[in-house]
């Protein structure tokens, strides 16, 4: 298992806490199916509003195992991604898509099991002019995402782990999980969270 893949064994919330309550993408970005999870290095995409040609290029060019991370210039009212692109990306070995905008064809994407995290669903079509950039840093919400940073997403949302903080984050996440298991033991013994944390 690659070191970054160990991050995928933790929840997004645990990783967020392990990094000092940082790295979280906007809460509106959620999986189109609650059971979807994603983990992998970012291949970043910036598109112009309502244009998705760069997304077609991204899944064609990105290395297998990548997570496509798309910033769509703050324009959400379009379905930038659909079932055919999902099939193409799956065939190329792409691990998933995280997009700061909407997608469509949700039922078909869910049926094929390709992880897609988006702001929602929109039937409105897109153009194919191709303006934008590939594999350059993008900012989504308050988070700078560089190519190769690790994306981890689950039902709660998505967190970005900088590529130079992977080992540190894993260790802190392990320590947090051990602490939480101790708290669970205390709760089962009848103590309240106020008592456990000394907040009385």
């Amino acid at each position: 298992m690659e070191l970054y893949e160990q991050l995928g064994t933790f929840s997004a919330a645990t990783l967020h806490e392990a990094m000092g309550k940082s790295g979280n993408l906007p809460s509106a970005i959620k999986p189109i199916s609650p059971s979807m999870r994603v983990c992998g290095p970012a291949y970043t995409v910036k598109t112009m509003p309502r244009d998705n040609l760069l997304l077609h290029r991204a899944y064609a060019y990105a290395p297998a195992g990548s997570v496509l991370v798309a910033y769509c210039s703050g324009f959400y009212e379009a379905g930038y991604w659909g079932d055919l692109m999902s099939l193409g990306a799956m065939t190329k070995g792409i691990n998933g898509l995280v997009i700061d905008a909407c997608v469509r064809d949700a039922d078909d994407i869910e049926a094929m099991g390709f992880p897609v995290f988006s702001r929602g669903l929109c039937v409105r079509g897109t153009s194919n002019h191709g303006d934008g950039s590939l594999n350059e840093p993008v900012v989504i919400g308050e988070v700078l995402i560089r190519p190769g940073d690790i994306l981890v997403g689950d039902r709660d949302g998505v967190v970005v782990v900088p590529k130079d903080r992977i080992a540190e984050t894993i260790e802190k996440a392990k320590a947090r999980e051990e602490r939480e298991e101790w708290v669970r033991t205390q709760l089962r013994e009848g103590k309240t969270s106020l008592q456990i944390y000394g907040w009385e």
Side-chain angles (χ1 to χ4, degrees):
M1 178 184 291
E2 295 282 350
L3 185 63
Y4 79 81
E5 291 176 321
Q6 295 182 40
L7 292 170
T9 65
F10 301 101
S11 71
T14 292
L15 295 173
H16 165 69
E17 296 287 346
M19 292 190 295
K21 295 181 171 61
S22 67
N24 54 293
L25 295 188
S27 61
I29 300 175
K30 291 290 195 299
I32 62 171
S33 173
S35 63
M36 288 179 172
R37 294 181 61 91
V38 72
C39 176
Y43 187 92
T44 54
V45 187
K46 180 181 179 181
T47 77
M48 295 298 100
R50 206 182 167 190
D51 191 280
N52 79 344
L53 181 55
L54 267 294
L55 282 163
H56 287 271
R57 290 177 179 160
Y59 88 72
Y61 301 159
S66 298
V67 174
L68 305 183
V69 186
Y71 171 68
C72 300
S73 299
F75 187 86
Y76 307 139
E77 287 300 310
Y80 290 86
W81 184 274
D83 64 318
L84 298 181
M85 298 170 78
S86 295
L87 178 58
M90 281 188 70
T91 303
K92 294 284 291 184
I94 302 301
N95 278 6
L97 169 72
V98 174
I99 183 168
D100 188 24
C102 293
V103 301
R104 62 187 188 181
D105 304 325
D107 287 344
D108 291 332
I109 296 172
E110 182 177 355
M112 71 178 72
F114 182 72
V116 171
F117 289 67
S118 73
R119 280 187 175 264
L121 306 177
C122 181
V123 299
R124 188 182 187 188
T126 56
S127 59
N128 303 111
H129 298 300
D131 295 326
S133 64
L134 291 176
N135 223 28
E136 296 180 3
V138 297
V139 176
I140 296 179
E142 300 177 351
V143 181
L144 172 67
I145 306 166
R146 300 165 299 170
D149 287 345
I150 308 302
L151 277 288
V152 178
D154 55 29
R155 187 176 184 179
D156 289 338
V158 183
V159 68
V160 181
V161 180
K163 54 189 172 184
D164 57 357
R165 294 187 62 189
I166 295 173
E168 167 201 346
T169 302
I170 289 171
E171 290 307 309
K172 290 182 177 179
K174 287 179 180 177
R176 179 176 175 80
E177 286 198 338
E178 290 171 0
R179 169 71 175 173
E180 287 190 340
E181 190 54 41
W182 176 82
V183 171
R184 290 186 186 95
T185 299
Q186 300 296 301
L187 291 169
R188 293 186 185 106
E189 292 176 356
K191 291 184 179 179
T192 67
S193 51
L194 293 175
Q195 292 172 320
I196 294 169
Y197 295 119
W199 293 337
E200 290 185 296

